[in-house]
Amino acid sequence: MATDNGQVRIAVQLQPQHADYTDIRRAVAAAEEAGVDAVFNWDHFFPLFGDPDGKHFECWTMLAAWAEATERVQLGALVTCNSYRNPQLLADMARTVDHISARDGAVGRLILGIGSGWFKRDYDAYGYDFGTAGGRLNALARDLPLIKQRWAELNPAPTREIPVLIGGGGEKKTLRIVAEQAQIWHSFGDVETFTRKSGILDEHCAAVGRDSAEIERSIGVEADDPQADAAAKHAAGARLFTLGVNGPDYDLGPVRDLVAWRDEVNMQG
C-alpha cells in the first residue's frame, strides 16, 4: 500500500555532520514542533561536504534515539546503504526502531529508506567491498526480499508493514526494484528529470503488474527557493518533499515555510 492518500507531506533531512549531538537532538525536537511529517538523517561515516574530516555520527543508533525522543513524526534514513549491514541484521534493527517509535498502542513510525550505496570513502575506510554499481544494485534487489522475510519471522513482528523507500534514479535497475519492492520512491534533480523518470517507473510498474499509484513520489527540494521548487514538482506528481538542513545551526525557517505551503495545498485539495 502507498503511505499517503495524495496529500502533500514535508520532511527535513537533518544532516548529521559538523554538529554536536546536542545540536542534532534540539533540531529533531524543533522539526517535530514545526509540524513536519518526517525527519531523516543519512547513512554515511564522514561528512559529504564542508570539512571532509569534520564531526559526523552514525545513522541507525541515531534513529533509535530519535524514535525514543519524538512522538509523532516518521523517521528514517535518506538513505541506508544496503552494503553496510547484513540484511537479516538490518531487518531486526528496523523492527526494533519501529517498536521504539510506537506510542500508546499506535503503530511505529519508521520508514526504511534504503539504496545501493555510492560513497567510496565509506567503503574504503570501513573495509567494505565497493565493487561495481551494477553489483551493488543486484545486492539491493537480492537483500530486500530477505529483509521482508526476516520481518515475517521476528518475534515480536514489526508493528505494521514498514514502508520501504528506495532512493535513486537508475532507469533500468533501480526503478525496476522500486516497482517491485517499494512504497516510496525518492528522486533527485529538476522537474524535467523527475517527470521523465516517474514515467519510466510507471512503465516498470506496468511490466510487473503493479499499480504505480501505490508508490508515493518523494523528491528533494532546492534550498534557494524551496516553496517554488516544491510547487513545480508537486504539479509533476511529487507528494513528499524533503529539504536538507546542515549543522551545526540547523536553520528550520525554510522548513516552516514549506509546512505552511503544505497546509495550504492540502486544504485546497
Side-chain angles (χ1 to χ4, degrees), residues 101-155:
S101 69
R103 292 288 181 274
D104 300 326
V107 298
R109 295 174 284 122
L110 179 76
I111 296 170
L112 179 62
I114 195 165
S116 60
W118 63 273
F119 191 37
K120 191 171 186 297
R121 185 184 181 190
D122 283 348
Y123 287 80
D124 292 345
Y126 279 64
Y128 298 115
D129 179 21
F130 189 60
T132 66
R136 294 192 299 277
L137 280 167
N138 290 340
L140 178 63
R142 176 199 67 209
D143 289 347
L144 277 167
L146 297 176
I147 290 169
K148 294 178 180 180
Q149 179 181 342
R150 177 57 59 185
W151 282 339
E153 297 170 353
L154 288 169
N155 183 16

Side-chain angles (χ1 to χ4, degrees), residues 26-50:
R26 281 193 294 267
V28 173
E32 183 166 58
E33 184 178 359
V36 302
D37 298 285
V39 182
F40 296 117
N41 59 9
W42 65 33
D43 190 20
H44 295 290
F45 306 128
F46 301 96
L48 295 187
F49 50 88

